[in-house]
Amino acid sequence: VGVAVRAQELAEEAEEARSRAQERERELAEVAKFREMFIGIVMHDLRNPLGAIGMAAEVLRSSGELEEKNERLVARILSSAERMSRMISQLLDLTRARLGGGFPLEPKATDLRDVCRRVVDEFSAHIELEIEGDLTGRWDQDRLEEALSNIVGNAIEHSTKGSTVSVRAGTDGAQVSVEIINRGSVIPADVLPFIFEPFRRGEGRRSSQSGHLGLGLYIAKQIVLAHGGTLDASSLDGKTSFVMRLPRGHRVCRPAASPAPDSLAL
Ligand SMILES: Nc1ncnc2c1ncn2[C@@H]1O[C@H](COP(=O)(O)OP(=O)(O)OP(=O)(O)O)[C@@H](O)[C@H]1O
Ligand SMILES: [Mg+2]
């Protein structure tokens, strides 16, 4: 009789485990569906009307018929629409990184010189660019451009007036590195360890006031990690430096999906 009871218990346990697994599968499928929906809504339902606002403002601006006062208003509409569009892209990136199992990369033969030059050209500020050695590898150039652009943008924003941002790219053979240096007020030592976390911003500044979400460095780091590289920061004696190191790209890591941050409450 004891054997029969034990067999019965085992069968019940197995059944329970099966239904738990099914429940988990259903939950995962639901999260996946929600993710698709969220990305779809952001991509389509927010981007399209925003694009229309931008386009209409652009048409008004180039019409040449605006009074000076209205011209200023139109310029304001345009820059706000651009800022909003940038924030939407960042939120999409965050969603992909957190819920989608890392950044989807499309690595191909790339010369990091070209990437650096494009990033430097993108900004109107004067940037000192030093490039040395063979900087070829297999990387996702658009993503690297985005990462570098986030770091260089910060460096310009936080520079002391009249100082110059430097971008130095080089190699030790196996790896390539890019260092971005600026002079300005330093990142406090107790803040430095957290600056790559999402929604982390310098003290006292709110995203609603500045149009910054505090996602630039988080996204930059995720992109570098997905390439199997590292991104580090140091900030001392009025000088802040970010160093990106990349293997030449024989392997591409896809970091495991991690839960959504509380602040997004997905
Ligand atoms: N070169 C720098 N010098 C001084 N502080 C910096 C520098 N780069 C980043 N920081 C600090 O790190 C914080 C996080 O940077 P991050 O790029 O992630 O966010 P953000 O620039 O505030 O917003 P976003 O990039 O999303 O528009 C910044 O708010 C700023 O306080
Ligand atoms: Mg930034």
Side-chain angles (χ1 to χ4, degrees):
V1 177
V3 173
V5 170
R6 184 75 195 121
Q8 168 86 24
E9 276 172 10
L10 282 176
E12 277 168 15
E13 269 169 35
E15 181 50 37
E16 235 170 71
R18 225 190 338 265
S19 76
R20 268 202 307 272
Q22 276 172 355
E23 178 65 17
R24 177 90 188 113
E25 221 165 87
R26 257 199 306 277
E27 276 170 24
L28 285 177
E30 230 161 80
V31 169
K33 202 172 126 206
F34 186 82
R35 182 181 73 221
E36 303 279 290
M37 250 171 57
F38 178 80
I39 293 183
I41 289 168
V42 175
M43 285 293 257
H44 182 266
D45 294 3
L46 285 181
R47 275 215 165 141
N48 285 358
L50 192 55
I53 292 172
M55 217 133 73
E58 191 56 67
V59 169
L60 275 178
R61 182 165 75 173
S62 46
S63 70
E65 293 165 3
L66 291 176
E67 286 170 29
E68 200 187 314
K69 190 180 109 216
N70 290 339
E71 211 170 284
R72 272 204 309 276
L73 288 175
V74 167
R76 179 110 181 260
I77 295 173
L78 267 174
S79 74
S80 296
E82 262 162 38
R83 225 166 48 206
M84 218 167 133
S85 150
R86 193 173 152 257
M87 288 198 256
I88 290 175
S89 303
Q90 287 189 331
L91 285 171
L92 278 174
D93 280 348
L94 174 89
T95 313
R96 287 200 192 100
R98 288 293 182 130
L99 300 175
F103 279 92
L105 292 183
E106 285 177 32
K108 54 174 191 246
T110 299
D111 194 332
L112 206 62
R113 286 164 185 266
D114 302 330
V115 178
C116 289
R117 285 203 186 104
R118 277 200 300 273
V119 172
V120 165
D121 288 344
E122 188 190 306
F123 294 94
S124 51
H126 173 66
I127 299 169
E128 204 178 74
L129 179 62
E130 283 173 37
I131 301 178
E132 245 179 52
D134 171 13
L135 301 184
T136 53
R138 285 188 69 79
W139 303 295
D140 187 322
Q141 10 186 328
D142 290 342
R143 286 302 193 174
L144 283 188
E145 204 172 312
E146 183 184 350
L148 281 172
S149 163
N150 287 352
I151 302 167
V152 172
N154 283 345
I156 292 170
E157 192 182 329
H158 296 282
S159 279
T160 312
K161 232 177 167 221
S163 65
T164 304
V165 171
S166 311
V167 176
R168 294 177 192 155
T171 176
D172 66 358
Q175 288 195 58
V176 300
S177 66
V178 186
E179 183 173 19
I180 299 99
I181 306 163
N182 79 278
R183 304 216 137 258
S185 55
V186 295
I187 306 171
D190 56 334
V191 174
L192 198 61
F194 306 107
I195 52 164
F196 294 106
E197 287 182 3
F199 303 112
R200 223 19 115 118
R201 315 226 29 251
E203 62 258 46
R205 295 196 302 160
R206 293 223 329 273
S207 59
S208 55
Q209 291 162 341
S210 64
H212 289 281
L213 289 170
L215 284 176
L217 287 179
Y218 167 74
I219 290 165
K221 181 126 184 175
Q222 295 305 308
I223 291 171
V224 175
L225 289 179
H227 280 92
T230 58
L231 179 62
D232 299 294
S234 67
S235 200
L236 265 181
D237 302 331
K239 198 174 104 174
T240 299
S241 141
F242 285 82
V243 182
M244 179 190 291
R245 291 193 178 81
L246 294 167
R248 291 207 188 252
H250 304 295
R251 80 201 158 94
V252 166
C253 300
R254 286 181 68 97
S258 48
D262 299 341
S263 14
L264 245 191
L266 286 176

